[in-house]
């Protein structure tokens, strides 16, 4: 009889419409104070697991994330199957590397779709995106453009790396022709100032977790999209807008399945 009553109370404790940590733990404490030892330890373990599941979402439900991924990083869902972030310094570098790649991917996807839309609609005579690098321009030679790009990108990346090694060092007076205040970063990886943050978004960067989470989620989606655009171009030899138009012309027979089958035949 005691065991039956204990089970009923335990079911009530975990059958609410929402799991609030306080109510669960209070019920577990109440169970512990009674004379039902056969079920108390089990209910306490369930309490801990429910609390972990509620407080820390993971990429795989029920997975215990590694201890070095404690949820403080933006977009941290405990995904590190290779253990690349075990070393704190390596993890710090990987965070910055992912952030930069995410931003380049977002810019790349937007640029490819926009220029491809202009090309397909005939608004502008632009090359397809994977042939744009071979385009000859009248205002400068390819060698000149390459050298300028290397110099500019090298300068920017060097400044970013120096700020990574010594946060705030690149905003010191006299470090950049008196323009330090206009380029002063909020923290490593998050530039600020009127030039790089004209809208003043997330000025309190330490408490802007939602902004960071939205950015990294969109960036990861853009990186997957870039991979899809690469594979799509390799298989179909056309741009993404062309692929979309072809699919919409016959949605039931112009799909990825037919495309892969045709490429393998």
């Amino acid at each position: 009889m005691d065991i039956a009553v204990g089970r009923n109370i335990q079911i009530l404790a975990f059958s609410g419409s929402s799991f609030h940590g306080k109510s669960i733990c209070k019920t577990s404490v109440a169970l512990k104070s009674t004379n039902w030892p056969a079920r108390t330890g089990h209910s306490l373990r369930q309490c801990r697991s429910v609390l972990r599941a509620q407080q820390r979402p993971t990429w795989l439900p029920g997975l215990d994330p590694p201890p070095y991924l404690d949820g403080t990083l933006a977009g941290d869902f405990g995904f590190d199957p290779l253990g690349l972030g075990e070393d704190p310094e390596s993890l710090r570098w990987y965070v910055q590397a992912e952030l930069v790649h995410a931003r380049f991917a977002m810019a790349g996807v937007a640029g490819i779709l926009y220029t491809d839309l202009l090309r397909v609609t005939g608004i502008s005579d632009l090359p397809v995106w994977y042939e744009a690098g071979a385009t000859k321009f009248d205002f400068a030679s390819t060698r000149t453009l390459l050298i300028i790009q290397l110099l500019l990108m090298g300068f920017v990346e060097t400044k970013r790396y120096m700020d990574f090694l010594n946060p705030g060092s690149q905003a010191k007076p006299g470090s950049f022709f008196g323009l330090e205040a206009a380029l002063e970063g909020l923290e490593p990886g998050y530039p600020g100032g009127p030039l790089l943050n004209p809208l003043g978004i997330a000025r309190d960067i330490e408490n802007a977790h939602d902004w960071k989470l939205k950015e990294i989620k969109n960036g990861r989606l853009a990186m997957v999209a870039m991979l899809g655009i690469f594979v799509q171009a390799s298989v179909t030899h056309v741009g993404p807008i062309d692929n979309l138009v072809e699919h919409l012309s016959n949605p039931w027979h112009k799909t990825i399945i037919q495309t892969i089958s045709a490429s393998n035949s």
Side-chain angles (χ1 to χ4, degrees):
M1 180 65 181
D2 289 344
I3 295 176
V5 174
R7 286 178 178 175
N8 290 334
I9 294 177
Q10 182 183 345
I11 292 172
L12 290 174
F14 290 94
S15 62
S17 58
S18 61
F19 293 107
H20 296 287
K22 293 183 179 179
S23 62
I24 294 174
C25 289
K26 284 183 179 178
T27 307
S28 299
V29 173
L31 288 172
K32 188 176 181 180
S33 62
T34 58
N35 295 322
W36 304 316
R39 304 298 298 176
T40 302
H42 181 67
S43 62
L44 287 175
R45 285 194 298 271
Q46 283 185 328
C47 170
R48 296 191 189 98
S49 63
V50 170
L51 285 175
R52 282 198 300 267
Q54 181 189 16
Q55 295 173 358
R56 177 71 193 284
T58 56
W59 66 278
L60 184 64
L63 178 72
D64 289 330
Y68 52 86
L69 296 178
D70 56 3
T72 57
L73 296 172
D76 174 14
F77 297 99
F79 182 79
D80 189 15
L82 300 180
L84 300 177
E86 292 182 0
D87 179 54
E89 285 301 316
S90 298
L91 178 61
R92 181 168 163 260
W93 173 254
Y94 289 142
V95 168
Q96 296 298 316
E98 182 188 33
L99 190 59
V100 172
H101 281 81
R103 289 168 178 169
F104 271 111
M106 287 189 284
V109 169
I112 289 173
L113 294 179
Y114 179 70
T115 55
D116 212 43
L117 184 62
L118 294 178
R119 181 185 61 83
V120 172
T121 55
I123 297 176
S124 180
D125 185 20
L126 294 171
V128 68
W129 70 269
Y130 50 81
E131 295 178 354
T135 303
K136 303 294 183 180
F137 297 96
D138 296 332
F139 61 88
S141 65
T142 303
R143 181 178 300 177
T144 302
L145 292 175
L146 178 61
I147 293 175
I148 292 175
Q149 181 178 356
L150 290 176
L151 291 176
L152 293 178
M153 289 297 296
F155 174 77
V156 172
E157 287 299 295
T158 300
K159 297 281 285 184
R160 185 177 67 85
Y161 182 66
M162 295 303 294
D163 190 64
F164 169 79
L165 295 178
N166 187 11
S169 62
Q170 303 307 298
K172 293 180 179 179
S175 62
F176 188 59
F177 310 111
L179 300 176
E180 300 81 16
L183 300 170
E184 184 176 2
L186 304 175
E187 69 177 40
Y190 295 93
L195 292 181
L196 299 178
N197 189 16
L199 301 179
I201 298 175
R203 289 183 177 178
D204 185 10
I205 195 65
E206 294 182 357
N207 298 316
H209 184 76
D210 290 340
W211 284 103
K212 292 179 179 179
L213 181 61
K214 291 175 181 178
E215 181 186 34
I216 198 62
K217 280 185 173 181
N218 282 278
R220 289 169 178 171
L221 181 62
M223 287 189 282
V224 175
M226 282 300 303
L227 177 61
I229 291 175
F230 291 159
V231 174
Q232 206 170 29
S234 176
V235 173
T236 64
H237 306 291
V238 295
I241 301 299
D242 288 313
N243 290 135
L244 179 61
V245 170
E246 184 180 5
H247 168 66
L248 294 178
S249 66
N250 191 355
W252 297 107
H253 298 91
K254 298 291 185 179
T255 65
I256 187 174
I257 298 176
Q258 282 81 11
T259 302
I260 294 175
S261 300
S263 64
N264 292 333
S265 60

